[in-house]
Amino acid sequence: MSIVVTGATGNLGRHVVGQLLEKVPAEQVTAVVRSAEKAVDLAERGVRIAVADYSAPETLDGVFTAGDKVLLISSSEVGADRVGQHTAVIDAAKAAGVSLLAYTSAPGTLTAALADDHRGTEKALLASGLPYVLLRNGWYHEVYTENLAPVLEHDAVVSAAGEGRLSSAARADYAAAAVAVLTGEGHENKTYELGGDESWDLAEYAAELSRRTGKEIAYKPVTVEELTGILTGAGLPEPVAAVFAGTDASIEKGELVVTSGDLARLIGRPATPIADAIAAALKARPGA
C-alpha cells in the first residue's frame, strides 16, 4: 500500500510530498510525474517515482495498486481536456482497487469557467464508485504573491474583481489539508470547502503592499474585457486570459469567499494570512 501523489513535481505536489515525508516513511510514498529528471531529488529521498501522463492513459497502467490512497492533483493545462485527463486517472485507480481517491477541486460556489472542469471531474469521480474526498481548494495566495514584479514596477494592483472579497490560503496550507486526509481516517466520501480564515479584497492587498514596501501602490479596478486584453498583451492565449479574467468576475460576486472553517480544522492550525504571504514574497525577492 502506498500514498500516491499525481502531479508530484508541480507547485502544490511538491508541498504535499514534502509534508508527507514528515509523517510517513519515504518507501510508502509514490510520486507520479511526467519527467523523471524533475523528480531526481524525490528519488534521492527514497520516494518511488512513477512516470505517467494524464493525457496518455496507457502510461497509468501499473501506477496504482490495491489499497493505495491517491491524491489526484488537477491538471494545470487550462484549455485542454482536463476532465478526460482526470477521468483516465480515476479509471486506472478504480481498476487497481485503490482505497481512496482525493481530488483537488474548486469551491462549490464558484461559477466561473475555471470551475467547469472541476465539476465534470467530480461527476466522474462520484460515478466511479470509488471512495472519494473532494478537496475544494479556494484561491491561492501565490496567484498574487508570485506575480509582484509588474505590480511593483507600475505601483498598481490591476484587477477586475471590483470590491469583491476572497478567502485565499497558501499552497502549503492546502497541501497540509491533503496530507491530513491521506494520512488520517474517517474522510471517505467527504467534501471539504477549503479557504483562508479571513477574507480580503484587492484594495486591502494594495494597501498592505504599500505598507510593507513604503511605496504608494494603488488599486486600479478594470473591466473583465480590459483585463483580458491586458493578459493577452502579456502573452497569455486569449482563451486562458478570458478564464482568469472571468475568475475575477466571480471574486467580485463573492464566489471565492469560504466560511466553512474546514481548512483550519483539517490542518489543526490557522491558515496563513495574506499579510504573512506578502511579507515572505517580498523578502524572497532578489536584492530584498
Side-chain angles (χ1 to χ4, degrees), residues 172-194:
D173 295 335
Y174 293 118
V179 169
V181 164
L182 294 168
T183 59
E185 301 295 335
H187 300 289
E188 292 84 358
N189 303 330
K190 297 284 184 65
T191 297
Y192 295 110
E193 299 286 348
L194 304 177

Side-chain angles (χ1 to χ4, degrees), residues 232-245:
T232 54
L236 279 183
E238 196 280 334
V240 177
V243 167
F244 283 114

Side-chain angles (χ1 to χ4, degrees), residues 113-129:
L114 188 67
D116 293 346
D117 292 341
H118 292 300
R119 299 290 91 85
T121 301
E122 289 184 3
K123 184 177 179 180
L125 179 53
L126 268 61
S128 75

Side-chain angles (χ1 to χ4, degrees), residues 2 27 30 32 41 72 92 96 100 113 129 134 198 206 214 258:
S2 184
E27 60 267 22
T30 297
V32 181
D41 60 316
L72 169 54
L100 183 74
L134 299 181
E198 302 290 339
V258 178

